Amino acid sequence: MKANELRQRSKEELKEIVNDLKRKLQELRFDLVSGKVKNVREIRKTRKEIARTLTILAEKQHKNKEK
């Protein structure tokens, strides 16, 4: 998901997205150990999506504190 799309979401939606991505990352790691993952880059991509979402969530929280 792109940053612009994430910025349009509410805090609750962003938290839900982060939880889903963390579950996905955990499943990918388990599958990697068991040898089921064929696309290892998916792990990196998921980590970056988590970081992007958490950054936007922090921006929203910081913006609310300034007001």
Side-chain angles (χ1 to χ4, degrees):
M1 197 174 292
K2 294 191 177 192
N4 290 334
E5 296 172 4
L6 290 173
R7 284 191 174 94
Q8 295 172 356
R9 306 273 179 140
S10 69
K11 287 182 187 179
E12 292 78 24
E13 289 176 324
L14 290 173
K15 289 178 183 178
E16 187 177 323
I17 290 171
V18 169
N19 288 335
D20 291 342
L21 288 171
K22 284 185 177 183
R23 273 190 236 111
K24 179 181 176 184
L25 182 62
Q26 185 179 18
E27 289 173 11
L28 285 170
R29 286 180 175 160
F30 286 138
D31 290 345
L32 178 67
V33 171
S34 64
K36 294 179 184 175
V37 172
K38 295 194 175 160
N39 187 4
V40 181
R41 289 181 180 235
E42 188 71 25
I43 294 172
R44 185 185 313 163
K45 181 181 169 189
T46 305
R47 283 187 9 234
K48 287 185 179 187
E49 287 179 23
I50 292 170
R52 183 180 303 117
T53 308
L54 287 174
T55 301
I56 292 171
L57 186 61
E59 287 175 0
K60 285 184 178 257
Q61 290 175 348
H62 182 69
K63 187 182 268 188
N64 285 341
K65 287 184 181 180
E66 289 180 353
K67 290 184 178 179

